Amino acid sequence: MREYNYDVIILGGGPAGFSAGLYCARGALKTAIIDISMLGGQPSNYLELENYLGFKKIGGYDLTEKFEQHLDMFGADKFPMQEILSVDLVSTPKVIKTKEGLFKSASVIIATGASPMKLGIKGEEEFLGRGVSYCAVCDGSFYQDKVVAVVGGGNSAVEEAIYLTNFASKVYIIHRRDELRADKIIQQRAFNNQKIEFVWDSVAEEIRGEDLVKSILIKNTKTGDISELNIDGVFPYIGIIPNVNYITGQIEQDSRGFIQTDLTMKTSLDGVYAIGDVRNTPLRQVITAVSDGAVAGVYCAKYVQAQKEVTV
């Protein structure tokens, strides 16, 4: 098995990882980015973004391609499509083992992101990007004067439903119980919004359409009755899960598994940083992920340089 040695290894090749890689490489660190899939991260699948500063409107793939081209100016090594076997963040040096090689580094930046919890119903995967979205802030403006459904009853679901009323003519909130889990003040805002209609005691059964979403089948949890709502979009908000395979148990995480960091993006382990959606953060957007990467890149470079000075 081939062995690679770096100053820093970045786990994850999305916007946060690209940004960290750029700052690390510019800081004269020997830098590598490892990803289990193709580089670009979730935004590469977005049809369009309208809230990334400097671009009135840009395709998600186009934006991440620009990120990668910028990174390439500074010579970071890239290892996409790696099957990761193990990650050791505690040892010195840190060790990441994949099927293709053994990667060792003085520091690691975790940028593995988070994944939305899926409804697990027919039509959900088929209509992703064509009426199914997990980000109201990203895609809400595409539903001007249309009808959408939000699935869930927590803070995120209700807040995003309220946000969607800025665009949609009607927003259904589909919830499996007869009362919301969201904070009372958020609930009240939703109850006071005339564009919102609640579908209580109901779960999503199937998303239907042709080229785009046309309707959603829902099942009443008390009666078992099936009904169909004509809608143009579905926004599932039943939770998100941090992508922390091989990492859990080595560093401090919150009750949901998200990695705890300080203001410099440092985790509970020296030389280990976490950025973007995988960390405990109040906002998960491309622009905040890029900002996290910049902070981590700067402080990671300082850490590595200090370690080198100690060993001289």
Side-chain angles (χ1 to χ4, degrees), residues 209-222:
E210 296 175 2
D211 292 334
L212 301 172
V213 167
K214 295 295 183 183
S215 67
I216 185 169
L217 289 186
I218 55 175
K219 177 181 179 180
N220 188 287
T221 58
K222 292 183 176 178

Side-chain angles (χ1 to χ4, degrees), residues 202-238:
S202 297
V203 293
E205 289 283 294
E206 181 183 344
I207 298 168
R208 292 181 169 180
E210 296 175 2
D211 292 334
L212 301 172
V213 167
K214 295 295 183 183
S215 67
I216 185 169
L217 289 186
I218 55 175
K219 177 181 179 180
N220 188 287
T221 58
K222 292 183 176 178
T223 66
D225 292 341
I226 303 291
S227 58
E228 186 171 10
L229 293 176
N230 293 322
I231 56 169
D232 302 291
V234 182
F235 291 80
Y237 276 98
I238 57 175

Side-chain angles (χ1 to χ4, degrees), residues 22-47:
L22 186 150
Y23 274 81
C24 287
R26 285 187 75 249
L29 300 188
K30 188 179 180 184
T31 303
I33 294 178
I34 298 174
D35 203 308
I36 62 172
S37 60
M38 296 300 294
L39 301 182
Q42 288 188 25
S44 61
N45 297 316
Y46 297 166
L47 182 63

Side-chain angles (χ1 to χ4, degrees), residues 47-60 63 66 137-138 141-142:
L47 182 63
E48 290 180 335
L49 289 89
E50 295 180 323
N51 60 350
Y52 191 83
L53 194 64
F55 298 94
K56 292 181 179 179
K57 183 180 293 187
I58 186 169
L63 182 61
K66 289 180 183 296
V137 174
C138 307
S141 62
F142 300 121

